[in-house]
Amino acid sequence: MTDSTTTTLTFSDLHLDPKVVQAVADAGYTVPTPIQAGAIPPALEGRDVLGIAQTGTGKTASFVLPMITLLGRGRARARMPRSLVLCPTRELAAQVAENFDKYAKHHKLTKALLIGGVSFKDQDTLIDRGVDVLIATPGRLLDHFERGKLLLTGVQIMVVDEADRMLDMGFIPDIERIFNLTPFTRQTLFFSATMAPEIERITNTFLSNPAKIEVARAATTGENITQGVVMFKASKRENEGSEKRAVLRAMIDDEGEACTNAIIFCNRKTDVDIVSKSLKKYGYNAEPIHGDLDQSVRTRTLDGFRAGSVRFLCASDVAARGLDIPAVSHVFNFDVPSHAEDYVHRIGRTGRAGRSGKAMMICVPRDEKNLDAIERLVQEPIPRLANPLGDRPMVDETEDKPAARAPREERSERIRGRGPRTERKQDRNTDTPVEAVATAEANAVEVVAEPAPDLLIDRNRPRPERSDRPERDRSDRDRSDRDRPRRERNDRDDRIVGMGDDTPSFIMKSFEERRAR
Ligand code: AMP
């Protein structure tokens, strides 16, 4: 598309229902985005559409607007929805539903949202009455179908949103099944950020001569997103988690006020919980979001993040994919994603709608091959950033000497109140007690389990109850201990809290004598 078309095209030029154009104007949009300009005209002609676009490009409106226009001409029948939108996650489905409400506000269309975590009964009531638009996750839709509550033979328009994510989540067999339950004559609007071979196969099977619209990836063209990566090696493998969390805090602190809010991505759900818990302990306003959390908790967290009452959203890829959060100043990749495409999705959460954004990542040595894959995909090197903690020892030696540090509450207050920078920096390469369990347990837990002489017990350091400790850290420790030869494990038992790994034998001797007594 030439520049002149981009600048002159308006929503009125797209032959949408005037009431839809009005609703779009009410939303404050004047110019269609490239995916909208490309997908809406063929969709209105009744053609199948294959949109290769990621979230943040305006792709939701590119199928919602023509659907409303087309559905405005008919009526819903009981149990037979006229259109179907399939989304990989509950959040994305809820977001599409919100878009429907926004753009169909001048229409009398009915919709139902079929997602897990909501009672079947309420959803059944809506379907029984007849809906124009059914927005669903594949599993829940099939549950309803199998209970005999739903007929898909009336579906005239079917949308598959974020197909590549469906593939990652193993939903492709469900999607194929659903395709086969809908009429052959339906119109299909199919969206995916990437075209993996399996996606290509599905589109070849179920789409008929689609209009193909591909919009540029934000990551390859998004000059408004500043990227960077800190190459980081932990002092020891077992310290990696806590040290990475210290680096993360330092990166956040260095951004200062410029970091109004951020999404922090982790590869594993357990790490989402640990990072969020750790940030909270340090007084950062953080909440986790991932698929194992209750739907009501996820919704509340997201609402809080959108409203600004939650500043840091710690997220897994699946939970965050497709979420529409317009103003995110920063994305922190706590882990390098193992699928290069996820990097594109993650950083696409910032720098939306022309705003500038910053995406920063921490890369440990074993993730370097994944970093290479990302750089190949985005076709540019990601600038290396200095470790904000410099060459300082990562695990603060004062950790075991609380007298040298302010009480925890006071420290948290200082951070919460965004106290002077130098003050905060003193803290940032240390772990709070809950995290220190992970760090110090590897070195010291045996001494705590087996009562040590009073002199050696750090009574000022509050230890959380066992049940509060991060599950993964515990199991990691158990596993690594199991894996070590017995002799080596016994050696570790002899270590003394606060004395480090290489205590000179003449000093050890005095402790051993004391312990023997
Ligand atoms: P999506 O890619 O569908 O997640 O949309 C990303 C964001 O762009 C959402 O906040 C939309 O409300 C917004 N948006 C959609 N269409 C337009 C448009 N034509 N102009 C400006 N913003 C838009």
Side-chain angles (χ1 to χ4, degrees):
M1 194 185 302
T2 63
D3 277 353
S4 60
T5 350
T6 319
T7 47
T8 52
L9 197 70
T10 67
F11 280 102
S12 324
D13 300 326
L14 296 178
H15 308 293
L16 289 160
D17 182 328
K19 287 190 278 186
V20 171
V21 177
Q22 181 58 49
V24 170
D26 296 346
Y29 308 146
T30 47
V31 179
T33 65
I35 186 78
Q36 291 162 0
I40 291 174
L44 285 175
E45 284 168 20
R47 284 187 65 187
D48 283 358
V49 169
L50 173 56
I52 303 167
Q54 64 169 23
T55 183
T57 54
K59 70 173 167 56
T60 315
S62 77
F63 60 80
V64 169
L65 303 184
M67 279 177 82
I68 298 170
T69 301
L70 295 169
L71 293 169
R73 298 174 196 145
R75 301 208 59 173
R77 288 163 59 193
R79 289 193 194 176
M80 290 178 73
R82 299 165 65 208
S83 67
L84 177 61
V85 182
L86 291 174
C87 303
T89 62
R90 300 164 182 187
E91 281 78 13
L92 191 56
Q95 207 165 277
V96 170
E98 273 173 33
N99 271 256
F100 256 101
D101 290 343
K102 181 159 72 175
Y103 301 129
K105 67 179 199 180
H106 301 302
H107 283 81
K108 285 202 178 66
L109 293 174
T110 52
K111 71 159 201 315
L113 183 60
L114 299 194
I115 53 175
V118 178
S119 95
F120 275 100
K121 199 165 159 275
D122 296 346
Q123 297 178 340
D124 283 345
T125 315
L126 282 173
I127 296 171
D128 282 346
R129 269 192 233 137
V131 289
D132 296 298
V133 187
L134 195 57
I135 303 162
T137 48
R140 186 45 86 102
L141 181 87
L142 287 171
D143 284 348
H144 276 272
F145 181 79
E146 276 154 16
R147 290 164 71 246
K149 297 284 180 188
L150 185 61
L151 283 170
L152 296 176
T153 43
V155 170
Q156 296 155 22
I157 307 170
M158 173 163 159
V159 178
V160 179
D161 196 13
E162 307 245 353
D164 49 342
R165 180 53 42 170
M166 304 264 200
L167 176 68
D168 290 350
M169 295 171 78
F171 289 158
I172 293 298
D174 286 351
I175 299 294
E176 288 190 74
R177 198 172 152 213
I178 296 166
F179 263 125
N180 286 320
L181 294 171
T182 59
F184 178 68
T185 50
R186 62 157 202 271
Q187 177 183 8
T188 309
L189 311 177
F190 191 100
F191 291 84
S192 184
T194 55
M195 285 302 284
E198 184 67 355
I199 302 285
E200 187 121 31
R201 183 185 68 75
I202 298 281
T203 57
N204 290 340
T205 312
F206 294 105
L207 272 64
S208 154
N209 185 28
K212 193 170 166 187
I213 299 101
E214 184 162 5
V215 300
R217 288 171 192 285
T220 48
T221 56
E223 281 156 17
N224 53 338
I225 303 177
T226 311
Q227 301 173 59
V229 57
V230 173
M231 307 304 288
F232 168 69
K233 188 168 188 306
S235 61
K236 291 188 210 154
R237 173 71 182 90
E238 61 263 40
N239 291 348
E240 188 179 285
S242 61
E243 292 184 359
K244 268 176 92 179
R245 294 192 287 273
V247 174
L248 172 69
R249 292 192 297 276
M251 288 162 84
I252 292 173
D253 289 352
D254 277 356
E255 291 305 301
E257 302 296 318
C259 180
T260 50
N261 60 351
I263 305 182
I264 299 163
F265 284 98
C266 304
N267 290 358
R268 287 171 296 269
K269 292 178 212 169
T270 41
D271 285 334
V272 169
D273 279 331
I274 293 170
V275 169
S276 154
K277 204 166 180 176
S278 158
L279 284 172
K280 261 198 247 184
K281 289 273 172 188
Y282 274 87
Y284 295 80
N285 176 355
E287 291 295 337
I289 183 161
H290 58 68
D292 286 352
L293 294 169
D294 210 60
Q295 183 59 36
S296 59
V297 176
R298 286 154 71 174
T299 308
R300 200 169 53 236
T301 302
L302 264 183
D303 288 347
F305 191 64
R306 284 198 185 103
S309 59
V310 173
R311 184 169 167 224
F312 297 101
L313 187 70
C314 300
S316 63
D317 288 291
V318 169
R321 187 71 168 273
L323 296 181
D324 178 25
I325 300 155
V328 176
S329 72
H330 284 64
V331 164
F332 292 97
N333 285 307
F334 183 74
D335 299 305
V336 177
S338 37
H339 299 293
E341 282 100 15
D342 283 339
Y343 179 76
V344 178
H345 286 284
R346 287 180 181 188
I347 77 164
R349 312 307 313 166
T350 184
R352 296 185 126 197
R355 293 184 184 91
S356 62
K358 210 158 178 185
M360 288 187 279
M361 182 154 67
I362 305 174
C363 177
V364 294
R366 72 172 174 291
D367 287 342
E368 281 174 21
K369 60 179 185 318
N370 290 334
L371 179 61
D372 286 347
I374 290 169
E375 290 183 322
R376 274 199 306 278
L377 179 74
V378 300
Q379 292 167 12
E380 58 187 10
I382 300 173
R384 290 345 186 220
L385 304 173
N387 178 348
L389 291 178
D391 294 331
R392 270 181 291 162
M394 296 297 303
V395 179
D396 191 338
E397 283 162 15
T398 61
E399 177 58 43
D400 291 321
K401 298 173 194 147
R405 314 180 73 205
R408 195 176 92 201
E409 284 310 307
E410 204 180 295
R411 279 186 278 136
S412 303
E413 268 318 309
R414 276 211 306 260
I415 296 163
R416 236 177 270 131
R418 315 299 294 166
R421 213 168 173 68
T422 45
E423 243 180 27
R424 279 189 277 129
K425 284 198 176 176
Q426 283 176 356
D427 278 315
R428 66 191 198 178
N429 67 350
T430 65
D431 257 326
T432 54
V434 72
E435 296 182 83
V437 173
T439 309
E441 266 181 355
N443 296 330
V445 73
E446 292 82 359
V447 179
V448 175
E450 183 186 311
D454 285 354
L455 164 75
L456 303 174
I457 297 179
D458 176 359
R459 294 214 178 278
N460 288 331
R461 189 176 60 170
R463 280 181 64 81
E465 291 303 313
R466 277 229 150 244
S467 59
D468 290 348
R469 294 186 213 161
E471 199 58 46
R472 201 176 78 84
D473 283 358
R474 254 193 283 159
S475 53
D476 272 359
R477 189 201 72 223
D478 292 342
R479 200 177 318 118
S480 56
D481 260 1
R482 267 201 311 275
D483 293 343
R484 267 195 305 280
R486 186 166 183 78
R487 187 177 47 78
E488 205 180 312
R489 271 186 273 157
N490 288 344
D491 287 351
R492 291 164 58 87
D493 288 350
D494 287 333
R495 280 197 270 166
I496 308 295
V497 174
M499 297 305 290
D501 289 342
D502 300 305
T503 315
S505 55
F506 70 93
I507 296 180
M508 284 297 291
K509 209 167 159 220
S510 69
F511 291 131
E512 277 157 13
E513 281 166 7
R514 227 187 140 92
R515 187 181 271 169
R517 279 209 300 280

